[in-house]
Amino acid sequence: MPQDGTVNPENGKSTPIVPKPGQEAGKIRAMFDSIAFRYDLLNHLLSGGTDIAWRRFAVKHLLRGGEKRVLDLACGTGDLALELKRRTDPRCEILGVDFSAGMLRLAHKKTATPAHQDRPIHWLQGDGLRLPFPDNSFDLVTIAFGIRNMESLDGALEEIHRVLRPGGRLGILEFSQPENRLVRTLYMPYFLHVLPRIGALLSQRTAYLYLPFSVLHFPDRFELAKKMRQSGYGRVRHCPLTLGIAALHMGDKK
Ligand SMILES: C[S@@+](CC[C@H](N)C(=O)[O-])C[C@H]1O[C@@H](n2cnc3c(N)ncnc32)[C@H](O)[C@@H]1O
């Protein structure tokens, strides 16, 4: 897997500069800006529509009822926030925060219809490591396929902890690495080689090389749960989704 912008001496071709996960926020933001226009299509295509089911599953399991204010962090084009809106009480306020203006523009477009005017979702541009909210602001913070891209996992967990009210819940939906050997053997060639090719064909090569690269560099399910506990979350639980290709983690602020 190429990791930098080096030139291959054999054919003179340069490999794309793939942002290093957890290091270069500016590059990562620019990357998401540049893939925003085809983001939803590629998501549904590359996952065979499973991403929709994962978001539904996450929202269904994270909500306890009675939430008054919910934040979907790294909201991207807004699909998880929209699912939250569908499943919460009409009095619950929903906010979506992302640092990519390109992704937010698409989220905004989805809710710029008369059907959404009675209960708008508030889309805000902001950094997950420096959230523009006071302490103890939210009953639930969700983050889907976003925390892996942040400069500091610990920093993000702590910042989310700060804005959650005591007892408030964090839900993380994220790609994971299948633990079963047979599943890995079958899935990894697709994830490492086929997926980036389809991404390159329909969207942008670098971003779809970055995706598997960043997942391989992200803590596994058990390590992520440990980090959540270390950051002050209690009742930390996690479950694999679709043979461990993704996972849902949840924990409550003590
Ligand atoms: C793979 S997309 C996921 C989008 C959406 N949550 C979904 O379920 O499809 C990751 C998103 O995280 C956002 N992101 C990454 N780092 C961020 C940060 N530090 N602060 C805010 N957003 C960030 C990106 O701009 C991008 O929209």
Side-chain angles (χ1 to χ4, degrees), residues 25 28-33 35 39-40 43 51 55 72-81 97-101 103-104 125-131 142-152 156 173-175 210-211:
I28 288 176
R29 186 172 56 226
M31 185 183 78
F32 281 109
D33 277 339
I35 62 164
Y39 177 78
D40 285 346
N43 250 358
D51 64 305
R55 289 192 197 85
D72 181 36
L73 180 54
C75 62
T77 59
D79 284 358
L80 193 117
V97 167
D98 200 287
F99 71 0
S100 157
M103 298 289 265
L104 280 176
Q125 191 169 14
D127 186 347
L129 298 178
R130 285 169 288 273
L131 290 169
T142 56
I143 180 162
F145 312 109
I147 206 159
R148 166 177 45 89
N149 304 300
M150 298 205 170
E151 265 183 291
S152 159
L173 176 61
E174 191 49 90
F175 283 109
Y210 166 82
L211 170 59

Side-chain angles (χ1 to χ4, degrees), residues 38 42 45-46 190 193-205 208:
R38 286 254 166 96
L42 265 287
L45 186 73
L46 294 170
Y190 166 76
H193 303 295
V194 180
L195 178 150
R197 290 211 169 96
I198 301 173
L201 214 63
L202 298 177
S203 181
Q204 201 232 48
R205 187 167 172 236
Y208 290 90

